[in-house]
Amino acid sequence: MAALPTGKPTLYGSLTRRGLSTEGVPDIAASEGFVVGEVTKKSILISCPHENVSTKFLAPYTTFCRIHQKSITCLDISSGGGLGVSTSTDGTMKIWQAANGEIRRLLEGHVYDVNCCRFFPSGLVVLSGGMDAQLKIWSAEDASCVVTFKGHKGGILDTAIVDRGRNVLSCSRDGTARLWDCGKSACLGVIADCGSPVNGIAVGTADNSLNLGTPEKAPSEREVGTEGKILLLAREDKKLQGVGLQSRQPVFLFIGSDAFNCCTFLSSTYILAGTQDGNIYQLDVRNTNAPIQVIHRSGAPVLSLLPYRDGFIASQGDGTCFIVQQDLDYVLDLTEADCDPVYKVASWEKQIYTCCRDGIVRRYQLSDL
């Protein structure tokens, strides 16, 4: 991995544009200690041979400025890549065409801000959670709200979908994570009660060697696809917790450097979690005593983590958004957010979408590489 290891000082340098080639590609020079590699209309590769690190800076392929009026707090792209959904501090949630940002539907029904939104695997239905402590399911086709779940006592901060979506999960400021049955619009149980806000959750299939515990009572027949799954909880009290989804039993508890904001699965054994003070922990669920590695690009809060190919995409509160991949000998930096927090990242094939405090959705084309 080409990220700078923790504890090393940040490297600073400057770039100067000397002119343009006939094809419109900039001629770039770097300050001492840095080398300019390949330059295209959308990307610049910079390396520092002395430290053996390289970064490729990628500009957005296109930007959508008219979807929302204010800060965009969450977004997702449908499984077919055709639609986007996003939530904003302007109080709205909208569905739009991923190709051009054209608004298709306005999803109205939450009271106060909507914190999170995601498509079901079908791409035809949206799950959202709001500060009104309500979880809602919407039709992407006609914008109708088909189900409302009530039970949380505080704002919903994140959601997850189990398999194809007969069951869904939510976590809240009230310190709980809950499992819901979409067909009967009922709560199937409190999976965890942490006594501290749960900022983010992720569900994944656990490695076979992991003991997930056994349920104290037989699961409801309305529970579908919970067996063999582990739920990750990114907690405000600096703890990252793993819980057996069907058993409701604790599997591990890892204490980090600060509040955990987000978490994700890289595989059935490897997980990632990001903290408020800028650390990204990579852990092996079979042994969480010590992290495999800690990646630290800046002290800004890690706001979102997304598995991508054989690596991941991370976004932070200082506008940095970067991709680390096993087979790349450089880190890929997605530019242009400047110093505005990048709240969420979504991907579809070679396209990456980000949403930001500046109210802009940016689309990056990795085939530009």
Side-chain angles (χ1 to χ4, degrees):
M1 301 247 177
L4 266 177
T6 342
K8 279 212 168 183
T10 309
L11 304 172
Y12 294 98
S14 60
L15 299 178
T16 314
R17 192 175 101 165
R18 294 186 293 208
L20 279 178
S21 73
T22 47
E23 291 83 43
V25 174
D27 173 20
I28 306 265
S31 56
E32 196 180 342
F34 293 89
V35 175
V36 178
E38 186 195 16
V39 179
T40 70
K41 285 183 182 177
K42 291 284 183 193
S43 72
I44 303 173
L45 178 63
I46 308 289
S47 55
C48 175
H50 181 66
E51 292 289 341
N52 196 27
V53 286
S54 302
T55 301
K56 182 172 273 194
F57 297 93
L58 185 65
Y61 178 77
T62 183
T63 54
F64 305 138
C65 311
R66 295 194 177 90
I67 299 173
H68 292 284
Q69 258 53 67
K70 288 185 182 170
S71 175
I72 303 172
T73 49
C74 192
L75 92 169
D76 193 25
I77 302 296
S78 66
S79 52
L83 294 176
V85 62
S86 54
T87 59
S88 166
T89 54
D90 64 14
T92 66
M93 176 166 47
K94 295 177 181 178
I95 290 175
W96 36 274
Q97 278 175 237
N100 57 15
E102 195 176 300
I103 294 162
R104 297 290 299 272
R105 295 280 178 267
L106 184 60
L107 306 180
E108 295 179 295
H110 277 287
V111 190
Y112 314 123
D113 280 357
V114 189
N115 290 334
C116 45
C117 57
R118 68 169 70 239
F119 281 100
F120 277 74
S122 66
L124 304 171
V125 186
V126 168
L127 177 67
S128 68
M131 284 307 283
D132 56 6
Q134 296 185 69
L135 192 63
K136 288 179 177 282
I137 295 177
W138 311 79
S139 159
E141 296 172 298
D142 65 7
S144 60
C145 175
V146 288
V147 176
T148 298
F149 298 109
K150 294 181 182 178
H152 278 296
K153 307 274 190 295
I156 292 169
L157 300 177
D158 199 10
T159 63
I161 293 171
V162 183
D163 293 347
R164 284 171 48 212
R166 284 173 66 182
N167 291 174
V168 297
L169 291 147
S170 59
C171 66
S172 160
R173 282 183 195 272
D174 67 14
T176 67
R178 290 172 178 259
L179 180 70
W180 308 86
D181 169 15
C182 297
K184 290 249 165 98
S185 62
C187 182
L188 290 169
V190 174
I191 305 297
D193 191 347
C194 304
S196 164
V198 182
N199 295 321
I201 51 173
V203 67
T205 303
D207 183 78
N208 293 334
S209 66
L210 207 59
N211 178 11
L212 298 182
T214 41
E216 284 168 11
K217 56 176 197 276
S220 150
E221 73 279 1
R222 304 290 308 177
E223 254 188 59
V224 184
T226 57
E227 197 181 354
K229 301 272 197 325
I230 187 168
L231 180 68
L232 300 181
L233 307 159
R235 295 166 40 164
E236 184 68 23
D237 60 3
K238 306 187 182 182
K239 290 171 183 161
L240 177 73
Q241 187 176 2
V243 178
L245 184 52
Q246 192 180 72
S247 70
R248 323 287 204 251
Q249 304 290 327
V251 177
F252 71 82
L253 192 65
F254 175 81
I255 299 170
S257 54
D258 204 344
F260 279 99
N261 291 330
C262 51
C263 53
T264 191
F265 283 84
L266 292 178
S267 68
S268 61
T269 50
Y270 297 128
I271 57 174
L272 284 181
T275 60
Q276 187 67 12
D277 59 356
N279 283 328
I280 298 170
Y281 291 90
Q282 184 181 351
L283 299 167
D284 184 327
V285 289
R286 298 164 301 184
N287 178 9
T288 57
N289 292 333
I292 298 166
Q293 67 167 343
V294 182
I295 293 168
H296 187 93
R297 289 285 301 268
S298 80
V302 180
L303 300 176
S304 92
L305 289 166
L306 180 74
Y308 187 72
R309 308 244 162 122
D310 56 1
F312 66 89
I313 309 174
S315 74
Q316 292 186 263
D318 58 0
T320 55
C321 185
F322 61 95
I323 305 178
V324 175
Q325 275 182 260
Q326 304 287 10
D327 59 348
L328 289 183
D329 53 4
Y330 54 82
V331 174
L332 193 56
D333 250 294
L334 306 181
T335 65
E336 235 188 55
D338 207 11
C339 295
D340 275 312
V342 178
Y343 291 116
K344 196 81 177 173
V345 183
S347 70
W348 183 74
E349 292 188 348
K350 287 192 171 183
Q351 294 170 40
I352 313 283
Y353 293 78
T354 64
C355 68
C356 188
R357 189 172 66 187
D358 61 13
I360 297 173
V361 170
R362 294 178 173 83
R363 174 159 71 99
Y364 299 85
Q365 196 83 29
L366 292 199
S367 45
D368 284 354
L369 303 177

